[in-house]
């Protein structure tokens, strides 16, 4: 599932806690055995100890966001289907490992989409930006790179390349990328979203055979050369992808640090009153974040 704001494992526990606090008597037996029973209240108290505060946070976030923003079943089903397609045969195993069912996983998707809408409601994305991203998604690159640890080394390698040095030889001698270094820096074909953002931005702006200036990413400094470009076969029409692209770009442009303070304000306006004394401070970490500066 793309753009996940919550871990699936945590959300699974929260959903379970929510379910066990629904209708029924606290003394209702939820597990029976010859060595003793487990009542609904015992289960609640045990789960409250382990995930109680996170549960209050997630469930209240869902309620305040759901009051302001709408997520349709169609949107949830589309994300669920996308997850199935991306994971393929491993999707059922993924659900099982995270104690998920189709229904509970869709609840997680719905909550993530609510947060996404809150994060991006004021972010503007132009048609020009959408067209540019569509064109990028319709293109694949065959490229190679040399990865080094510091900018000085990268600048030295770029100078050698400008003076006619052999790219493959320099990659074999200097690149710290274990996957491509021994192969002359070759990365083979890749499309949009396959590389870290800084690398992708630089690579897709290069002409064939052009060599980039040093590009910094979380891995170090890259010198990139695009060897070939080709069109992606059977790319869906722009109109069929326009809203999805708009959302992806909006999330990328949004101030991620602003989401928690925004939710904090919504929680304050909702006048939340936590009745369980053990959970009184469950929302403090969110409410106190309202005044925190964006990082």
């Amino acid at each position: 599932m793309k753009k996940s704001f919550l871990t699936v494992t945590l959300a699974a526990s929260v959903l379970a806690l929510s379910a066990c606090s629904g209708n029924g008597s606290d003394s209702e037996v939820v597990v029976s055995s010859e060595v003793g029973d487990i009542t609904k209240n015992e289960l609640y108290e045990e789960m409250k100890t382990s995930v109680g505060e996170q549960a209050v946070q997630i469930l209240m976030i869902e309620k305040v966001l759901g009051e302001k923003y709408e997520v349709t079943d169609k949107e949830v089903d589309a994300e669920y289907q996308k997850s199935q397609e991306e994971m393929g045969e491993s999707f059922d195993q993924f659900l099982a490992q995270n104690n998920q069912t189709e229904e509970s996983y869709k609840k997680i998707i719905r909550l993530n989409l609510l947060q996404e809408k809150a994060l991006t409601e004021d972010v503007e994305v132009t048609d020009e930006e959408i067209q540019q991203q569509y064109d990028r998604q319709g293109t694949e690159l065959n490229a190679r790179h040399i990865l080094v640890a510091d900018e000085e080394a990268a600048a030295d390698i770029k100078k050698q390349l400008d003076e006619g040095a052999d790219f493959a030889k320099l990659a074999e001698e200097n690149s710290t990328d274990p996957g491509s270094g021994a192969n002359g820096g070759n990365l083979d074909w890749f499309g949009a979203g396959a590389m870290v953002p800084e690398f992708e931005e630089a690579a897709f702006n290069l002409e064939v055979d052009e060599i980039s200036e040093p590009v910094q990413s979380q891995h170090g400094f890259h010198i990139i050369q695009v060897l070939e470009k080709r069109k992606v076969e059977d790319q869906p029409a722009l109109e069929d992808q326009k809203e999805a692209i708009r959302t992806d770009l909006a999330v990328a442009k949004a101030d991620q640090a602003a989401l928690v303070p925004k939710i904090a304000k919504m929680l304050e306006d909702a006048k939340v009153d936590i009745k369980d004394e053990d959970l009184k401070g469950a929302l403090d970490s969110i409410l106190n974040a309202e005044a925190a500066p964006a990082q």
Side-chain angles (χ1 to χ4, degrees), residues 162-211:
D162 289 343
E163 294 172 351
D166 183 79
F167 195 107
K169 184 177 180 181
L170 285 178
E172 291 169 2
E173 293 175 349
N174 298 278
S175 185
T176 60
D177 181 354
S180 68
N183 192 32
N186 287 325
L187 296 166
D188 208 349
W189 291 95
F190 62 88
M195 302 296 180
V196 293
E198 302 88 350
F199 187 103
E200 177 180 307
E201 187 67 23
F204 275 90
N205 284 320
L206 290 173
E207 299 297 330
V208 172
D209 294 331
E210 184 181 0
I211 298 174

Side-chain angles (χ1 to χ4, degrees), residues 29 38 45 53 71 96 102 106 108 119 122 155 157 176 191 212 215 220 222 241 250 263 272 292:
V29 174
I38 298 175
E45 291 297 326
E53 291 200 354
V71 171
E102 178 178 339
K106 283 183 176 180
I108 297 170
L119 181 67
D122 298 322
I157 289 172
T176 60
S212 75
V215 176
H222 309 260
Q241 298 190 75
I263 291 174
V272 180

Side-chain angles (χ1 to χ4, degrees), residues 2-263:
K2 69 182 177 66
K3 301 181 293 298
S4 180
F5 294 88
L6 299 170
T7 65
V8 174
T9 303
L10 173 59
S13 300
V14 168
L15 289 167
L17 179 59
S18 174
C20 80
S21 62
N23 296 326
S25 168
D26 287 347
S27 61
E28 177 185 346
V29 174
V30 293
V31 178
S32 64
S33 76
E34 292 183 357
V35 294
D37 299 336
I38 298 175
T39 67
K40 185 177 181 180
N41 186 62
E42 287 174 329
L43 178 60
Y44 172 79
E45 291 297 326
E46 180 62 31
M47 296 186 74
K48 183 176 70 172
T49 300
S50 58
V51 297
E53 291 200 354
Q54 296 97 321
V56 171
Q57 292 173 10
I58 291 174
L59 294 172
M60 282 310 308
I61 288 171
E62 181 180 32
K63 289 183 183 298
V64 296
L65 292 179
E67 183 69 18
K68 183 174 181 180
Y69 306 102
E70 180 184 7
V71 171
T72 66
D73 290 343
K74 183 178 180 181
E75 290 174 297
V76 173
D77 290 342
E79 284 297 319
Y80 185 84
Q81 183 177 354
K82 185 174 293 186
S83 293
Q84 284 182 307
E85 293 172 353
E86 289 174 352
M87 297 186 203
E89 295 180 356
S90 65
F91 182 68
D92 289 340
Q93 182 181 2
F94 165 79
L95 292 182
Q97 287 176 340
N98 289 282
N99 298 316
Q100 290 293 298
T101 64
E102 178 178 339
E103 181 182 2
S104 64
Y105 190 57
K106 283 183 176 180
K107 288 182 179 180
I108 297 170
I109 291 173
R110 185 178 298 277
L111 180 53
N112 281 320
L113 290 175
L114 283 169
Q115 292 179 95
E116 183 181 279
K117 288 176 184 285
L119 181 67
T120 61
E121 67 173 340
D122 298 322
V123 178
E124 181 181 354
V125 177
T126 67
D127 288 342
E128 182 181 358
E129 289 172 318
I130 293 172
Q131 182 67 55
Q132 183 181 36
Q133 181 62 24
Y134 176 76
D135 292 341
R136 179 175 294 186
Q137 291 178 184
T139 303
E140 291 180 323
L141 306 180
N142 181 12
R144 57 185 179 179
H145 79 141
I146 301 171
L147 176 64
V148 292
D150 59 81
E151 189 172 13
E152 184 178 352
D156 179 63
I157 289 172
K158 178 63 165 64
K159 182 174 182 294
Q160 293 181 59
L161 291 169
D162 289 343
E163 294 172 351
D166 183 79
F167 195 107
K169 184 177 180 181
L170 285 178
E172 291 169 2
E173 293 175 349
N174 298 278
S175 185
T176 60
D177 181 354
S180 68
N183 192 32
N186 287 325
L187 296 166
D188 208 349
W189 291 95
F190 62 88
M195 302 296 180
V196 293
E198 302 88 350
F199 187 103
E200 177 180 307
E201 187 67 23
F204 275 90
N205 284 320
L206 290 173
E207 299 297 330
V208 172
D209 294 331
E210 184 181 0
I211 298 174
S212 75
E213 295 296 327
V215 176
Q216 185 177 11
S217 79
Q218 66 196 62
H219 303 296
F221 289 82
H222 309 260
I223 305 294
I224 309 165
Q225 183 179 35
V226 172
L227 303 174
E228 299 174 86
K229 295 185 180 183
R230 70 185 181 194
K231 293 294 182 183
V232 174
E233 295 182 4
D234 302 323
Q235 184 189 22
L238 174 59
E239 288 306 311
D240 295 334
Q241 298 190 75
K242 193 169 186 177
E243 290 311 308
I245 293 174
R246 185 188 304 279
T247 298
D248 288 345
L249 291 176
V251 169
K253 292 172 70 173
D255 179 7
Q256 303 282 336
L259 180 60
V260 173
K262 186 171 189 175
I263 291 174

